[in-house]
Structures are given as C-alpha cells and as structure tokens.
Amino acid sequence: MLGLTFVMKHPLRYFTITLSLIVAVAMQATEVNVSPGLLERAVGDDRDNVTTLIVTGAVNAADLHFVCTSLPSLETLDLSGVTVEAYNGKTLVANRGDFPASTLPAYILSGLKASTVILPGSITSIGEGAMMGAAVQSLEIPAAVRSIGDNAFCGCDGLTSVTIPATVEDVGRGVFSSCRNLKTVSYGLHDIPASAFAGCTSLVSVETPSGLRSICREAFRQCVSLAGFDYGTSLVTVGDFAFSHSGLEEAVMSSCSGLSHIGKQAFGNCDRLTSVSLPDGVTTLGAGAFLDDTALESVNFPAATRTVEPYTFKGAAAVNDASRLLSGDVDSIGAFAFAGMDKVGEVVLPSRLADIGDNAFEGWLSLNTIRAEEIEGVPSLGNDVWAGVYAPGVFLYVPDDLKGEFMSAPQWKEFNITQSGTIDMTRELGGMPSTAVSVAWDGPTLTITSDSKPIETVKLYDIAGRLLHSCDNIASSTFTIDTGGFTTDFYIIHVTTPPAAVSFKTARR
C-alpha cells in the first residue's frame, strides 16, 4: 500500500527506486553449502538471476549438470571448496549416467557460459570433454589433478593462457584443440598428445620441459601464428601432421640426438618454413614430411635414412642447392619426392641408389648436371621421372663401365652422358660440321674460332635455354666472351657463319 501511494505522488522517485532493485537482483551472488544432489534445491527459484555461485560441501554430476543448464546468467562459478562424489542415476550428458568420484565428470560443464571458473581443489582427474566449448577466460589446473581426458577444454575460445603442471601425469588427445584465442602455453609433461593444440590459430609461445620426448599426431596442426618451437635435446619422435599448416619459420632439431622418427607431412604446408636442421640419426622421414614448404631454402637429409618417401620435398621451390638433399646411403627415391625444385642446377646421386619413382624430379627446369660417378648400377625409373627437364641439355656423369647401360636405358639415354673423370667440352648439336667452328676456355674467357667464313652472330644460353649474351655483325674469325659474371658452368652456344650455323654444348673449366 505504501508503495502504491508513493508511485502516485512521486513517480520519478519510484521509478528510480524500482530500477535500483532490479540492478541489485541482477547482480545476485549466491553461496551455498550442499550435499550431493541438493544443489538445485539450495539455489531455489531465483536461479535465473544468479551471476555468482560459490559452492562448498559435496556435489555430484547431477548438481554440476544443473549449474551448466539452468543458470543462464552465471558469470562466476567457484567450486574450489567442494568434493565431487560418484553418481549413478538417470542419463545426464552424452548418454552417460555413471560418473566416478573425485573427477570433473565427462562433458558435464560443456558449453558453460560462466567466464570465471574455479575448479574443485580435491579432484584428481578431469573427464573427457568436461568443459568443451565453455566460455571460461582463465583456468588453473588443481594441484591434485593427475589426468585430463580427451578434448577436455576443446573450443574454449575465451582462454588466452594455460599452464599444465608437471604434476599431471596423463593428458588426452585434443585437450586444448580449437581454442582460437589461446596465445601462450606452459606444458610440463614429456609427451604432447595428438591434436593437443590443433587449430589454436593465435598460439605464439609454447614452453616445454627439457626432457620432451614426443610430439604426437597433429599436435600443433594449423597453429598458424606459431613461428618457433624449442624441441629440446631429448625428442625421439614427431608424429604425422604434427606441425602441418603451422606458422613455423625454422625447425632446428640437430641437437635431438635420439630423434629417430618424423611422421608423414609432419611439417607439410608450412609456407613460412625456410630452414630445417635434422640429426643424422633419423631413420624414418615420412611421406610428404616437408610437402609444399614453398619457402624452404635449407635442409639436410639424415645420414641414417635409406628411403626418400613419396612427396617428401615436393613443392620446396625455394631450394637451390641439392648438395644436402640426399645422403650417401639412400637406395630408393619415391614418387614426386623432389618435384618442383626448379632452381636446382646439380644433383649427386648416391652410390647405392637402385630405383627412382614416378615424377621424382619433375619440374627441375634449371638442372644442368647429374653426377652419378659413384653409382653401382643403373637405377630403374618410374614414369616421367624428369618431366619438364630438357634432358639433352643436362650433363650426366657416369662410371666408365656403366656408360653403355645408361646410353641404352629409357629416360637415361636422353641426357648428355659423359664418363666419369672426363668433360665433354664441346658437343655439336646441329648445323655445319663442328670442325669449322671451335671453342676454347681460358679461365672464364670463352673464345670462339671459325676456320672458314667470318663469324656473323653469337648467342650464349644457359642449359635451361635462357639467353645470357648476344652479339650481331661480328665479321671476324674469332670472338671472345667473358663469362665471369655468370653463375653457371654449362652453356649452349649458337654460332652463325652465313649461310651456315652450328650449336655447341660446352662446360667452363
């Protein structure tokens, strides 16, 4: 009655007072001490207005399910003072109705809207998907926790920093996957599980223990902001796709003396990766390990690896020096293993190489020399091994006793085959008899001499067919070119002494 009278006489003041009451209700904090299964009764009918909930006593999965599904305004949840009891009853989440004690139950707080959550200090494990997709912005793993289940915090976009202490003994796959705003991680275990941080697109820093042993499948896949990673000295294995599509700029693992396995596409599609350093003890380098790493310039092939798997370096177009791409004991090169390296001019084939797969060296447009002087036999070739390579313009150096076999072998016979220890300084490609025109080298100076008519024009090309030098109207029997400014040692020369013309291959001494 007093309120009604007040409204009629002082409407503005009533409006103000009523507004104040509404704000007070909207910011309601509730603190309750409960027994398992009684949290809903303790909160009461005003559940829609609870923004802060502090719980002590004991709860079970049913109580936590109530918190997640029935408190729409909840911003802060403090469970630090509770113990979690076992639950066996009606199905709550993910078709489950049986949850153990001392565990944050599986999926029980999945999708929780509260931005601040303090987990029970007494729990020893965090269940699978326990807080998947929750809006939590900060997280502290209780000291008593020994295990964290698969996808426990997957998709928690509010997280920016997490610490997994060394006291945790087991972490499931995908534990922080797709946490898109996660920037820094401190990780205390020696093994990083599969997909642990996959899709964490803002991740820039990962602190790991000195004894890190393994990085499992897809652990950092699509971590596009991760430019560097400390591999330590104890790493043994890097799983399939572990860093694929990440932002890594270098991968320095040369100090990992025990590293033996790098999985397929482990560093594939890292378009900012420029340098890779591997220890010689690596025995397995998976298919596509560095697939389409378009910025990769420097990499060494481990001495203990015998097989170059398919697609290992395919698309590494920035590599221009192949001297470290093949170890001396490699016996097999898989399909497309080195395809697309269009800047490499020379490759040395290992002595034990026995077979080369389809399109293995496709697109080596700058290739001018294949050195196979130490090879023990003619390697068998798959289809189109050298697709796109102008084979007649490539010098192939082979042992004396194998020259005949190379010259009769499909694909190999297309090259300019030369016995080991010799250099075919001039090879006639066409036109007038080569005795009419000769070439000679004096250091970088190339001299062209005509024994018959005056030289009219000279054009100098590299082996890939790019024009390096051209001169017309020479009208002399000799002509010299200083090749000191050119990086290649192998050339094609086209000489005209009208009406005749001749072309030569030649190699600078």
Side-chain angles (χ1 to χ4, degrees):
M1 190 66 162
L2 179 61
L4 180 61
T5 303
F6 196 67
V7 167
M8 294 177 66
K9 293 183 178 181
H10 302 285
L12 273 179
R13 194 175 306 171
Y14 175 78
F15 174 78
T16 303
I17 293 173
T18 303
L19 180 62
S20 298
L21 289 173
I22 291 172
V23 170
V25 170
M27 297 181 63
Q28 180 176 329
T30 300
E31 183 172 354
V32 294
N33 182 278
V34 297
S35 298
L38 299 179
L39 181 59
E40 182 175 0
R41 182 187 302 176
V43 172
D45 295 335
D46 207 18
R47 63 187 65 175
D48 289 351
N49 297 316
V50 175
T51 58
T52 298
L53 179 62
I54 303 170
V55 186
T56 56
V59 298
N60 61 20
D63 297 312
L64 298 176
H65 183 254
F66 162 74
V67 170
C68 188
T69 60
S70 302
L71 302 179
S73 301
L74 190 64
E75 298 173 0
T76 299
L77 175 63
D78 185 349
L79 299 173
S80 59
V82 306
T83 59
V84 179
E85 301 294 334
Y87 173 86
N88 189 295
K90 70 176 184 178
T91 299
L92 298 176
V93 291
N95 294 317
R96 301 184 186 197
D98 188 6
F99 300 92
S102 302
T103 297
L104 186 65
Y107 300 100
I108 205 67
L109 296 180
S110 177
L112 181 70
K113 301 303 180 184
S115 58
T116 300
V117 177
I118 304 174
L119 296 178
S122 62
I123 59 174
T124 58
S125 65
I126 296 173
E128 174 184 349
M131 295 188 67
M132 179 186 290
V136 61
Q137 294 181 0
S138 62
L139 180 69
E140 182 175 345
I141 306 296
V145 169
R146 296 294 176 265
S147 67
I148 302 175
D150 295 350
N151 303 304
F153 302 98
C154 169
C156 292
D157 285 344
L159 289 176
T160 59
S161 177
V162 296
T163 296
I164 301 178
T167 51
V168 176
E169 298 170 355
D170 182 64
V171 176
R173 60 177 293 133
V175 61
F176 288 99
S177 59
S178 299
C179 293
R180 292 177 294 182
N181 293 305
L182 184 63
K183 291 181 171 61
T184 62
V185 170
S186 178
Y187 188 86
L189 283 73
H190 292 154
D191 303 287
I192 300 177
S195 304
F197 303 98
C200 294
T201 53
S202 299
L203 186 63
V204 296
S205 174
V206 180
E207 181 183 343
T208 58
S210 59
L212 182 66
R213 290 188 300 258
S214 67
I215 303 170
C216 292
R217 180 186 178 93
E218 299 183 358
F220 296 97
R221 186 172 191 173
Q222 293 182 328
C223 291
V224 295
S225 300
L226 187 64
F229 188 87
D230 184 357
Y231 302 90
T233 59
S234 302
L235 190 64
V236 174
T237 180
V238 179
D240 297 348
F241 305 97
F243 291 92
S244 70
H245 294 87
S246 73
L248 286 181
E249 296 176 359
E250 63 176 8
V252 180
M253 291 171 278
S254 53
S255 296
C256 303
S257 58
L259 182 62
S260 62
H261 175 86
I262 295 177
K264 65 182 180 182
Q265 297 192 44
F267 297 89
N269 293 280
C270 294
D271 57 12
R272 283 179 277 176
L273 186 64
T274 61
S275 176
V276 174
S277 177
L278 302 174
D280 281 338
V282 175
T283 57
T284 304
L285 198 58
F290 301 97
L291 173 67
D292 286 338
D293 289 348
T294 54
L296 186 61
E297 297 176 351
S298 174
V299 61
N300 66 294
F301 197 83
T305 303
R306 300 291 179 263
T307 299
V308 185
E309 296 289 346
Y311 299 91
T312 298
F313 296 102
K314 180 184 180 293
V319 172
N320 59 23
D321 181 1
S323 61
R324 302 172 69 202
L325 282 179
L326 287 166
S327 70
D329 291 329
V330 165
D331 56 25
S332 178
I333 298 175
F336 293 93
F338 299 104
M341 292 186 176
D342 59 1
K343 296 180 178 60
V344 177
E346 179 175 305
V347 63
V348 179
L349 301 183
S351 61
R352 297 181 181 178
L353 184 61
D355 61 86
I356 304 176
D358 297 349
N359 304 84
F361 292 92
E362 178 183 297
W364 281 44
L365 304 181
S366 299
L367 185 65
N368 56 58
T369 305
I370 302 172
R371 308 207 72 98
E373 294 99 327
E374 303 300 323
I375 206 156
E376 297 173 0
V378 179
S380 63
L381 301 180
N383 296 320
D384 301 317
V385 168
W386 314 93
V389 175
Y390 179 61
V394 178
F395 289 90
L396 170 59
Y397 295 93
V398 300
D400 297 356
D401 59 343
L402 292 177
K403 183 175 181 180
E405 292 184 47
F406 272 99
M407 293 188 73
S408 62
Q411 296 187 63
W412 291 115
K413 66 183 180 181
E414 305 299 327
F415 293 104
N416 184 356
I417 299 174
T418 303
Q419 291 173 294
S420 62
T422 66
I423 297 179
D424 186 0
M425 290 301 298
T426 59
R427 176 174 173 175
E428 183 183 354
L429 297 180
M432 74 178 82
S434 60
T435 54
V437 175
S438 61
V439 297
W441 288 93
D442 182 9
T445 301
L446 171 64
T447 301
I448 304 163
T449 303
S450 172
D451 295 334
S452 55
K453 296 182 179 181
I455 298 170
E456 180 69 19
T457 66
V458 170
K459 295 184 185 298
L460 183 69
Y461 302 86
D462 65 13
I463 291 299
R466 289 181 284 262
L467 182 64
L468 303 176
H469 183 84
S470 178
C471 188
D472 300 323
N473 303 315
I474 296 173
S476 174
S477 60
T478 61
F479 183 73
T480 60
I481 302 173
D482 182 3
T483 65
F486 305 136
T487 57
T488 182
D489 289 329
F490 303 93
Y491 302 91
I492 296 174
I493 305 168
H494 184 74
V495 181
T496 62
T497 56
V502 67
S503 295
F504 287 97
K505 286 182 185 176
T506 185
R508 182 169 59 190
R509 291 187 184 274

